[in-house]
Amino acid sequence: MHHTPPVLLVIAHGSRDPRHAATVHALVREVRAQRPGVRVETAFLEFNIPSVRGVLESLAAEGVRDVVALPLLLTRAFHAKSDIPAVLREAPRALRIRQADVLGPSPLLLSALERRLYEAGLTPADKPTTGVVLASAGSSDPEAIAVIAEIAREWRHTGWCAVRPAFASASLPRTADAVRELRALGCERVAVAPYVLAPGRLPDRIAQGAAEADVLADVLGPAPDVARVLVRRYQEALVRELAAAVGA
């Protein structure tokens, strides 16, 4: 009997900015290309359609039984801990849903950040003389902030002159302050790497804060490395359940 793998439901936050949904859909197309045997659906928490509830109800009506819900988020902040589990609890009873882990941290995301910096004009030879601002959207969740700071520390060890975290909202420092700090440290050039998945209000704020930087990279978007992280989180959710079943 042919076993159909669980549907991968990618849950994005959503935004009033149309570039956000367009980028999410481009990333999901990249995931489909990497895992052609898996059905991948997209849903949004707010601002965009389809809604998470709407997609789950459609899947149940079709007779789908197994779903892996993957938060399209870089850190385990409020949406991953509270919003998404609350929406999933309201899903049709016929569905068996596993919530996968958020995307970050992951070495693949660091390679995606570097890809974007090289696309913006840097080369690997520039690393020792370049300071990088790891610019994230920001969060009021201390765990999420600590993770960003740890990623910056790890990334620094790969050869950059210095790496500093910065935040577009909810926490400090801001991008412009981190740029000035790297200048004061004596880095020959300063680059801003947005640690965000899609364009929108907060990424625009990061770009404004990068006015005095030499290089501004693009958002992570549909980079192949990002899609690989989604595929990996999907597989990990399945392996975790298998391990739990074996141990039961």
Side-chain angles (χ1 to χ4, degrees):
M1 193 176 87
H2 179 68
H3 175 67
T4 307
V7 170
L8 169 54
L9 175 61
V10 176
I11 301 178
H13 182 270
S15 168
R16 291 188 180 90
D17 188 320
R19 296 173 300 166
H20 174 90
T23 304
V24 169
H25 290 307
L27 174 57
V28 168
R29 282 195 295 275
E30 179 66 28
V31 173
R32 287 190 185 115
Q34 290 188 19
R35 283 300 303 268
V38 174
R39 178 176 173 182
V40 188
E41 297 289 342
T42 312
F44 297 90
L45 280 174
E46 52 188 354
F47 302 123
N48 301 98
I49 52 172
S51 68
V52 179
R53 180 180 294 177
V55 172
L56 291 172
E57 286 174 357
S58 296
L59 290 172
E62 272 182 52
V64 169
R65 291 295 167 258
D66 278 331
V67 176
V68 172
L70 196 159
L72 194 61
L73 301 166
L74 293 169
T75 54
R76 257 184 59 73
F78 181 76
H79 296 302
K81 292 176 180 176
S82 180
D83 283 0
I84 291 174
V87 175
L88 296 179
R89 278 195 296 272
E90 294 171 4
R93 294 231 177 268
L95 292 174
R96 200 160 58 111
I97 302 176
R98 287 148 279 196
Q99 183 175 330
D101 290 335
V102 296
L103 304 190
S106 165
L108 286 167
L109 293 174
L110 282 184
S111 63
L113 285 165
E114 296 208 347
R115 174 196 291 263
R116 293 297 186 230
L117 284 169
Y118 297 150
E119 287 169 353
L122 292 178
T123 70
D126 294 325
K127 278 179 125 177
T129 53
T130 304
V132 179
V133 178
L134 179 69
S136 124
S139 172
S140 53
D141 186 311
E143 182 190 342
I145 297 303
V147 166
I148 300 296
E150 180 58 31
I151 293 167
R153 277 194 294 274
E154 279 182 29
W155 203 15
R156 159 75 183 80
H157 295 311
T158 65
W160 296 100
C161 170
V163 180
R164 291 287 183 273
F167 306 94
S169 69
S171 26
L172 295 172
R174 293 283 180 259
T175 304
D177 297 325
V179 169
R180 284 191 280 270
E181 187 189 341
L182 290 169
R183 285 251 186 266
L185 276 177
C187 298
E188 272 180 35
R189 94 187 48 68
V190 177
V192 174
Y195 190 59
V196 290
L197 287 165
R201 183 173 52 87
L202 294 176
D204 283 349
R205 200 179 285 175
I206 289 170
Q208 288 159 7
E212 293 176 29
D214 302 293
V215 173
L216 170 63
D218 201 357
V219 297
L220 293 170
D225 291 329
V226 178
R228 273 202 286 279
V229 180
L230 269 77
V231 170
R232 188 169 287 183
R233 296 292 179 251
Y234 170 79
Q235 289 165 331
E236 286 166 355
L238 299 183
V239 168
R240 223 176 15 246
E241 187 188 53
L242 198 61
V246 169

